[in-house]
Amino acid sequence: MAVPKRKTSRMQRRQRKAANRYEGVAATYCPGCGAPVMPHRVCAACGQYDGKQVITVEA
């Protein structure tokens, strides 16, 4: 029968259990138009990123 050689540390145990608490990425809102946007992505509604116009979007 397999028996652990060492006691599992609190950090290792908590890191293993933390994967079950993950609920996905929280959506943020574009400061330019207020549309929901994934973090670190260009806004599909207005084309802005970090307050700068990056792509042109046809209305």
Side-chain angles (χ1 to χ4, degrees):
M1 184 165 90
V3 178
K5 199 165 254 208
R6 301 233 182 254
K7 178 179 179 178
T8 306
S9 67
R10 287 183 304 237
M11 185 173 181
Q12 189 67 37
R13 186 172 56 229
R14 289 173 182 167
Q15 283 180 345
R16 186 177 63 243
K17 289 173 184 264
N20 298 326
R21 289 191 295 271
Y22 180 70
E23 295 182 4
V25 179
T28 57
Y29 295 96
C30 176
C33 65
V37 181
M38 292 292 284
H40 304 284
R41 303 289 190 281
V42 176
C43 178
C46 65
Q48 288 188 2
Y49 179 76
D50 197 27
K52 300 177 194 81
Q53 191 69 27
V54 178
I55 58 173
T56 56
V57 180
E58 294 124 15

